[in-house]
Amino acid sequence: MIQYFSMLLIAIGIYGLLSQRNLVKLVISLNIAEIGVNLFIVSIGYIEDGLVPIISSVNRTSSLVFVDPLPQALVLTSIVIGVGVTALALALIITIGKTKGSIDLTELGSSGGDDE
Amino acid sequence: MNPVMLIAVPLIAAFISSLFAKRSSLLLLFAAFVNSVIAIAVSLSAINGSYSMGGWSPPYGIELVVTDMTRVLVPAVNILAFFAIVVYWRRQDSPGKYSIVYTISLAALNGILLTNDLFNLFVFLEIAGVSAYLLASTGKTGSSKVAAFKYLMIGSVGSILYLLGVVLVYATTGTLNISEIAARISLGQINGDVLLLSSLLFMIGLGVEAKLLPLNGWVPDVFTKSSGPATLVLASIYPLAMISAFIRVLLAVRDERTMGAVLVLGVATVIGGEVVAFGQKRLRRTLAYSSIAQSGLAILLVGVGTAGAIAASVMIIVNNALAKFVLFSVDGLAIEKIGSDDIEKITGFGRTSQVTGLVFTVSALSIAGMPLFMGFRAKLLVISSSFDTGLLIPVIILLAAAIEATYYFRWIFSLYKPPFSRVEPLKERLPLELLTIGIILAAVLVFLGTSSGETLAIFDRAGNFMEEIIFMGKTLIGGM
Amino acid sequence: MRRLIAAIISLLFFLMLITVLNTETEDKAGIPAYGDADLSSRVSERFVTKSVNGYDGEIVYGVTSDAETGSANLVTSIVVNYRSFDTLGEVTVLFISATGVGLLLGGGKKRIVEEIKVSPVARLASRIVTPLLLTLGIYVFIHGHLTPGGGFPGGAIIAAAFLLMMLTDEKRRAPSKLKILEGYMGLTYVLLGVAGLLISGSFLQNFLPSGTIGELLSGGLVPVVYSVIGLKVGAELSGILDDLACEGSDES
């Protein structure tokens, strides 16, 4: 079930990226798609009745059934990369807003004006 | 010499630059120079093999792998990066405070060329991508920020799809090591639907940076609006790494139907690029569309998939890197000295500066594929490899080459035509670095175009790299 | 019209993606059904039992010492030890993004975001909560190898503490030493890698003893690296927040 849901999130994100004109909404759609991908990555590691992959005083040995820790490590990296790209996108939006006065894709034109 | 130093040295230089911001351009020059030396050492001496990171043997750990293809591309990337910094060292639009971005992009491009792990490739693609978005925003006008933003959007969509492909491959094969994945797929152990979908996702994901149609909307704006050194790096050095990544991943996760799609889209990219380039009046836009066409050429050869086709693809991107370097440098020079790169305005530029005109002509003819230059040998190999797929593709390539030659000749004539009005001789001296490096690169193009077959054997060996990778993978599976 | 095309493309995408779920069969590997992943066919099997180098005993909490990686948190052992190179790349992405934000928006002399009217109660309360948040963040990254968390969430909590201070005090700026901290921490991580190369022969190899599973001083290099990352990420995210609040007033 969760895998279908994460695919749905990715599809919603892609719809947003294709149809929205406001730059901030584009960044939000990108984030939704990224959440969908991260959710999907975690879901492929799930094992029925598996334990949290930490050896602790409760789960004392390594021969118990744990869920797959590798997708969780991949997601850690992916989330951080998403944060970095979002921060950069927002900084670009602020700069565009200040120099061009608008943050709407159609007003910014298809080739951004002819001031070369 | 451990090739990880090619990545560690620029990273160290970049972190030190953030502490001593005033010295960042000096650190960039230093890192690029050291990297070039290490790259040549790695290419000449290191054995073809894997270098594991962290001491964990693959596939449990990450490995860097040196193949015949990396031997060709790694020195090219590092030396060209060094040249790019030297060319813009004392000019007005030198990197300045953006030097740290160039340093990191150098580390990332080396990482892309060397790594043999799918997720590690994703991380390095992201580093290179973020650096590219920043480089694209370095233009003087506000439109360059808009172009950079659009590039960011398309690039991020591409990386999301690439990550999805990586995850699908991991869920089925259980490993992230490219050799092992290639071996498993070549042994036919993977479900066909999953293979098809993941290879399509990889094609779209990597196709954004590789300028595949219809994902190359970002190219004209970014190449025309960003600053001089940024365009140089993005146009001549980035394709070396990005297309090598495209080649490696699509040959590892190989599905015949996707190869067909790659072929079709590659041909469309070539035709689209050449036709639109024909009608452009400004040099930079012409060169941007010509870059799209060259990428298309390299990609459609991946669709063909034979070892000869891959060798041709490597030759095309190396030829493109060298020649576009010179062409974009001359363009930057024209904009700086004359004020514009319009076809009307630069008439006679070749007469006022003989050396500039000469190196421009050599590079333009090499891209167009004229005999005596490397481009001719490359195009010959391209056409002979594409005969494997029937008669239609070679004909289209020849047609595109004809269009290309026409507009490049037009630009060369414009450089040498006597100007309408008396143009005053340029008062300032032309930058010596640019002329020297231009002559070096032009000489390399001529050398590779006229030398005997042995020097081209390195490209043939580069074309065969996939066999080695699959062999390494099979030993991994056997041992698991 | 445009929305219709966008909707159709997304729908096609969704359908394409769900066709590959649940495709595992007898003779060809596919995507396993949800919950049925077979760990023994994946590389993670050896990560869980810490047997990449061939050790085949059981790992027991508080008893096993000098295992190949000492951290009790299996995800941490992957992120910082087995796949440490990826983490170096990730740290670099965050670094270049923060630097990019600073280059695009930097140089602001004062905050130009709308002043928020904050009541004295909120102001006092935030000053009580901030040290607690900082302590929590430091706890999370120091204990990364024993409990869930680690460097990245710890750094994010530190940045959240800073955000709280910024929201309730109009004049608060980031200390200027943050960029220096960030640069030094990044340098430390790469130099630890090179040290691993020189001492043990591979880049980023763990060269400290790995101790007993479950103790604070275990895992060799892991707590050190996670602390470095935690401080770096905290400094970076705080720097980004500061740049966004000042919006580079005089330039461009």
Side-chain angles (χ1 to χ4, degrees):
Chain A
M1 197 64 227
I2 198 172
Q3 295 187 324
Y4 294 101
F5 185 62
S6 57
M7 297 300 185
L8 188 63
L9 274 178
I10 300 177
I12 293 177
I14 293 186
Y15 168 74
L17 281 166
L18 292 172
S19 65
Q20 296 302 318
R21 299 180 329 190
N22 187 318
L23 297 186
V24 180
K25 289 188 185 171
L26 286 178
V27 176
I28 296 177
S29 312
L30 188 66
N31 268 307
I32 294 178
E34 277 173 10
I35 291 177
V37 175
N38 291 335
L39 209 51
F40 180 65
I41 300 178
V42 177
S43 74
I44 62 163
Y46 179 61
I47 298 182
E48 196 84 33
D49 293 332
L51 300 165
V52 173
I54 298 181
I55 300 180
S56 61
S57 52
V58 175
N59 308 318
R60 298 190 74 100
T61 76
S62 69
S63 42
L64 301 169
V65 177
F66 293 107
V67 295
D68 194 346
L70 185 65
Q72 304 188 10
L74 301 184
V75 167
L76 256 180
T77 307
S78 164
I79 293 178
V80 172
I81 293 180
V83 167
V85 173
T86 305
L88 189 61
L90 291 176
L92 277 174
I93 293 180
I94 293 179
T95 318
I96 293 176
K98 277 198 307 191
T99 53
K100 290 268 181 175
S102 140
I103 51 171
D104 190 297
L105 257 186
T106 48
E107 283 173 36
L108 292 168
S110 57
S111 52
D114 43 15
D115 41 14
E116 284 184 27
Chain B
M1 186 88 243
N2 197 326
V4 77
M5 295 311 283
L6 286 171
I7 304 170
V9 166
L11 276 185
I12 294 177
F15 287 126
I16 298 182
S17 307
S18 78
L19 296 169
F20 302 105
K22 300 235 174 23
R23 302 265 178 270
S24 55
S25 32
L26 200 60
L27 281 165
L28 170 63
L29 186 70
F30 172 71
F33 177 66
V34 170
N35 251 31
S36 312
V37 173
I38 300 180
I40 298 181
V42 166
S43 170
L44 292 178
S45 70
I47 43 174
N48 271 10
S50 78
Y51 295 82
S52 57
M53 297 289 111
W56 309 109
S57 51
Y60 304 105
I62 298 175
E63 58 169 350
L64 301 184
V65 78
V66 174
T67 64
D68 291 310
M69 193 165 87
T70 56
R71 276 177 207 283
V72 172
L73 293 177
V74 161
V77 164
N78 287 294
I79 296 180
L80 280 179
F82 176 59
F83 282 170
I85 299 163
V86 168
V87 165
Y88 274 95
W89 183 242
R90 284 178 304 167
R91 307 257 291 274
Q92 327 172 283
D93 42 337
S94 73
K97 59 180 184 170
Y98 277 83
S99 302
I100 197 172
V101 181
Y102 289 86
T103 322
I104 296 232
S105 72
L106 185 61
L109 292 173
N110 278 308
I112 295 178
L113 285 174
L114 290 168
T115 185
N116 200 27
D117 183 282
L118 267 187
F119 190 71
N120 200 225
L121 186 59
F122 169 70
V123 174
F124 278 118
L125 281 172
E126 284 301 303
I127 304 178
V130 171
S131 316
Y133 310 147
L134 278 171
L135 289 179
S137 73
T138 52
K140 296 197 252 309
T141 67
S143 331
S144 72
K145 316 282 193 285
V146 179
F149 185 80
K150 286 196 224 170
Y151 184 18
L152 190 152
M153 280 295 137
I154 301 184
S156 301
V157 172
S159 57
I160 288 179
L161 297 178
Y162 177 83
L163 185 57
L164 206 51
V166 171
V167 167
L168 290 178
V169 168
Y170 173 70
T172 50
T173 58
T175 174
L176 288 170
N177 189 301
I178 294 184
S179 309
E180 193 179 331
I181 292 173
R184 277 190 203 274
I185 291 182
S186 72
L187 291 175
Q189 299 176 354
I190 307 298
N191 181 308
D193 284 338
V194 175
L195 190 59
L196 175 62
L197 182 61
S198 43
S199 57
L200 279 178
L201 286 172
F202 285 132
M203 179 183 86
I204 305 178
L206 293 167
V208 171
E209 289 283 353
K211 308 192 189 79
L212 192 61
L213 208 74
L215 306 157
N216 52 16
W218 56 273
V219 179
D221 286 339
V222 168
F223 279 16
T224 47
K225 301 201 163 87
S226 57
S227 69
T231 316
L232 205 54
V233 170
L234 286 176
S236 74
I237 308 178
Y238 264 73
L240 285 171
M242 296 300 178
I243 297 199
S244 113
F246 190 90
I247 295 177
R248 259 188 319 150
V249 174
L250 280 198
L251 285 184
V253 188
R254 191 184 180 139
D255 182 286
E256 295 309 319
R257 294 161 284 185
T258 311
M259 289 302 184
V262 168
L263 195 57
V264 168
L265 285 177
V267 170
T269 314
V270 175
I271 301 180
E274 302 290 15
V275 167
V276 179
F278 189 76
Q280 296 303 315
K281 295 265 184 317
R282 309 181 79 118
L283 184 57
R284 253 201 184 173
R285 280 199 103 89
T286 315
L287 292 177
Y289 286 107
S290 166
S291 299
I292 295 181
Q294 293 289 309
S295 287
L297 209 51
I299 291 177
L300 77 87
L301 288 167
V302 178
V304 174
T306 62
I310 303 297
S313 190
V314 173
M315 283 186 77
I316 289 276
I317 54 178
V318 172
N319 179 37
N320 179 62
L322 296 172
K324 284 277 158 49
F325 188 99
V326 177
L327 292 170
F328 272 106
S329 309
V330 171
D331 174 84
L333 190 66
I335 293 187
E336 197 181 311
K337 303 291 182 199
I338 307 182
S340 141
D341 58 350
D342 199 87
I343 196 169
E344 312 283 326
K345 304 246 177 56
I346 67 166
T347 47
F349 190 48
R351 290 171 179 250
T352 49
S353 161
Q354 262 84 356
V355 179
T356 316
L358 178 66
V359 298
F360 184 91
T361 312
V362 169
S363 310
L365 291 180
S366 185
I367 291 223
M370 292 294 121
L372 259 202
F373 305 111
M374 182 180 179
F376 177 64
R377 309 282 276 271
K379 280 262 166 67
L380 210 55
L381 195 52
V382 169
I383 296 181
S384 65
S385 324
S386 57
F387 270 121
D388 291 340
T389 60
L391 219 40
L392 180 60
I393 309 276
V395 168
I396 298 184
I397 298 180
L398 279 170
L399 204 60
I403 303 180
E404 198 173 24
T406 317
Y407 67 74
Y408 270 116
F409 271 116
R410 213 171 40 176
W411 279 100
I412 299 177
F413 286 149
S414 158
L415 265 192
Y416 281 112
K417 222 164 50 172
F420 294 121
S421 56
R422 175 110 184 81
V423 73
E424 17 186 292
L426 293 173
K427 301 242 177 43
E428 318 101 63
R429 306 259 337 257
L430 292 171
L432 188 62
E433 306 96 352
L434 191 153
L435 300 178
T436 327
I437 290 180
I439 296 181
I440 296 179
L441 292 179
V444 170
L445 284 174
V446 173
F447 169 68
L448 286 171
T450 52
S451 60
S452 62
E454 284 107 58
T455 38
L456 290 197
I458 46 172
F459 290 106
D460 288 326
R461 282 203 299 272
N464 264 323
F465 81 100
M466 207 61 208
E467 276 183 25
E468 252 178 77
I469 300 266
I470 296 191
F471 178 69
M472 279 163 57
K474 291 204 173 126
T475 44
L476 283 176
I477 299 185
M480 237 184 113
Chain C
M1 189 59 203
R2 177 180 183 167
R3 299 194 175 216
L4 190 59
I5 300 181
I8 293 178
I9 295 182
S10 333
L11 194 63
L12 282 176
F13 209 76
F14 178 63
L15 292 173
M16 223 171 44
L17 287 171
I18 60 178
T19 55
V20 284
L21 299 177
N22 299 344
T23 49
E24 181 112 9
T25 59
E26 286 297 322
D27 49 331
K28 285 199 186 257
I31 312 258
Y34 180 61
D36 278 343
D38 179 16
L39 211 53
S40 61
S41 68
R42 297 184 176 181
V43 282
S44 320
E45 188 211 1
R46 298 247 191 137
F47 291 154
V48 169
T49 55
K50 298 198 195 299
S51 56
V52 171
N53 285 340
Y55 174 79
D56 55 359
E58 227 188 16
I59 311 279
V60 182
Y61 179 77
V63 170
T64 319
S65 56
D66 287 329
E68 60 182 17
T69 67
S71 57
N73 186 339
L74 300 172
V75 179
T76 301
S77 70
I78 297 181
V79 169
V80 187
N81 207 332
Y82 292 115
R83 296 187 68 99
S84 189
F85 203 46
D86 278 344
T87 311
L88 180 62
E90 176 186 355
V91 159
T92 310
V93 174
L94 206 49
F95 172 70
I96 188 69
S97 307
T99 309
V101 171
L103 285 172
L104 284 171
L105 294 179
K109 298 287 183 298
K110 60 180 180 58
R111 291 179 48 170
I112 60 176
V113 182
E114 288 282 316
E115 313 247 330
I116 312 171
K117 289 286 175 282
V118 182
S119 77
V121 176
R123 219 176 283 230
L124 184 61
S126 74
R127 287 183 194 187
I128 298 178
V129 170
T130 303
L132 297 176
L133 271 181
L134 282 174
T135 316
L136 178 66
I138 297 179
Y139 162 78
V140 167
F141 69 66
I142 289 186
H143 269 247
H145 56 297
L146 301 171
T147 55
F152 298 101
I157 296 176
I158 293 179
F162 176 68
L163 180 61
L164 182 61
M165 283 310 294
M166 275 182 65
L167 284 178
T168 54
D169 181 354
E170 307 82 65
K171 299 212 186 22
R172 172 76 55 180
R173 294 291 310 275
S176 57
K177 302 283 187 300
L178 274 186
K179 289 259 181 331
I180 302 183
L181 181 66
E182 180 188 339
Y184 271 119
M185 290 296 122
L187 196 56
T188 312
Y189 193 6
V190 186
L191 288 180
L192 282 174
V194 176
L197 181 63
L198 296 173
I199 296 182
S200 324
S202 278
F203 190 70
L204 283 173
Q205 190 160 356
N206 199 341
F207 54 86
L208 292 179
S210 54
T212 318
I213 305 249
E215 304 213 336
L216 184 59
L217 284 181
S218 64
L221 217 43
V222 173
V224 177
V225 170
Y226 253 170
S227 308
V228 164
I229 292 180
L231 290 171
K232 180 180 216 302
V233 171
E236 248 157 17
L237 292 178
S238 308
I240 292 182
L241 289 171
D242 188 58
D243 283 326
L244 285 173
C246 300
E247 287 191 23
S249 41
D250 306 328
E251 295 166 13
S252 84

